[in-house]
Amino acid sequence: MAEQLPADLDVVHSFDVLLKNGSSPLMRKPDAVVASAQAFQGEVTRFSAGDVALVVEILPEESEDIDLRVKLREYAAAGIPNCWTVALDGPPSLVAYSIADGRYEIAATGTRMINVMIPSPMKLNLNELIR
């Protein structure tokens, strides 16, 4: 995936994203984060939601409910424009969501091989993506 991203975006695995600041901050650690290349400059310990173009969640059975209900709502509320969920039960499948009116709407779905347009046009082999 990284080799298909434009130069102004980069990807990191399992990295903290600050979704809400203040007296009750909210932090999540998606399985992968695509953020602006500027956000990677210096010593980075976490990203703010405003720097994030895409979060990816791998859906193991034990946390599928949290990933699909709670995290999707939190990511959308934080304004993260894109979210992918990857299910591993059966052949790997991906659902790509894009934000619209403060909520995620399905932008693309597929199994094994999928073409996505967000955050940039990519052709993904899901078996390679989950390694």
Side-chain angles (χ1 to χ4, degrees), residues 47-98:
F47 295 119
S48 67
D51 292 325
V52 176
L54 166 71
V55 292
V56 180
E57 290 288 353
I58 307 295
L59 302 175
E61 273 186 47
E62 60 273 4
S63 71
E64 188 171 323
D65 189 51
I66 290 172
D67 288 345
L68 286 176
R69 294 176 194 233
V70 176
K71 287 184 180 181
L72 282 180
R73 189 173 55 246
E74 292 172 349
Y75 294 150
I80 295 174
N82 304 291
C83 179
W84 295 352
T85 58
V86 180
L88 302 178
D89 54 344
S93 63
L94 182 140
V95 178
Y97 299 90
S98 286

Side-chain angles (χ1 to χ4, degrees), residues 98-112:
S98 286
I99 204 164
D101 296 323
R103 297 178 48 189
Y104 284 130
E105 294 181 355
I106 295 175
T109 62
T111 57
R112 294 188 177 97

